[in-house]
Amino acid sequence: MHNDRFFLNKAIEIAKENIDKGGGPFGALIAMDGNIVAEAGNTVVLSNDPTAHAEVTAIRHASQKLKTFNLGECTLYSSCEPCPMCLGAIYWAGIKKVVYSSDRNGAAKAGFNDRFIYDEILLDPSGRKIVFLQLNDERSEEVFRKWEQSENKIPY
């Protein structure tokens, strides 16, 4: 618990410093075995990259540093509850523990309301606000068959 508080405070400091750099008010870090592996602030506007949330960027840095896509031995610390995109990245990275401070309601009050995304995820693609058009093509199924038969595949 002591390490959790220490690393969470560091993530909050990253968020504060990130505002001074022109970034968004979010900070995250990834720790393993009591050491910081990677840290990042939100750079969506600075990098013109809508996926450059602090959590996603920290995951990218940690994966590169550790040379693995599986961060199952790591903990992610974030100044705020991860948004739906970051939540997906956390699951894909195999992270088993996330410690955060502010929640989605606090983020919404500051102008970062993700409620519509949570709501859209629950809908069938045909009922979403963004048009999702599925065009079936046999070749796309061939890609999965090729993957299933590949001797070089690394499951994830």
Side-chain angles (χ1 to χ4, degrees):
M1 184 67 109
H2 174 69
N3 275 352
D4 286 344
R5 179 64 60 192
F6 173 80
F7 289 131
L8 181 59
N9 286 338
K10 176 69 173 152
I12 293 168
E13 286 303 314
I14 293 167
K16 285 181 189 175
E17 293 169 6
N18 201 55
I19 294 170
D20 295 335
K21 296 175 184 175
F26 303 97
L29 67 84
I30 294 179
M32 184 173 76
D33 298 328
N35 297 302
I36 295 174
V37 175
E39 58 184 55
N42 175 298
T43 60
V44 168
V45 174
L46 292 172
S47 63
N48 293 311
D49 179 355
T51 69
H53 290 202
E55 298 91 337
V56 170
T57 303
I59 288 169
R60 289 175 180 156
H61 293 326
S63 294
Q64 290 171 355
K65 183 173 182 179
L66 297 174
K67 297 181 181 7
T68 182
F69 59 83
N70 185 339
L71 302 178
E73 300 299 316
C74 298
T75 300
L76 185 139
Y77 296 86
S78 181
S79 61
C80 186
E81 178 183 2
C83 75
M85 177 185 68
C86 294
L87 181 62
I90 290 163
Y91 274 96
W92 280 115
I95 294 170
K96 297 198 176 25
K97 181 179 177 184
V98 175
V99 179
Y100 65 93
S101 185
S102 297
D103 66 13
R104 65 182 85 170
N105 299 313
K109 287 179 187 173
F112 299 93
N113 192 345
D114 298 330
R115 170 59 45 205
F116 74 100
I117 299 173
Y118 288 103
D119 294 342
E120 289 279 303
I121 288 170
L122 298 175
L123 298 175
D124 183 79
S126 65
R128 293 181 180 153
K129 291 180 180 156
I130 295 174
V131 175
F132 280 74
L133 177 62
Q134 182 180 13
L135 298 176
N136 291 317
D137 188 315
E138 183 66 26
R139 293 173 295 171
S140 66
E141 296 302 320
E142 290 173 13
V143 174
F144 287 126
R145 283 193 294 278
K146 181 176 181 174
W147 170 255
E148 289 169 351
Q149 296 168 1
S150 174
E151 294 178 12
N152 298 324
K153 71 179 173 192
I154 299 172
Y156 59 96

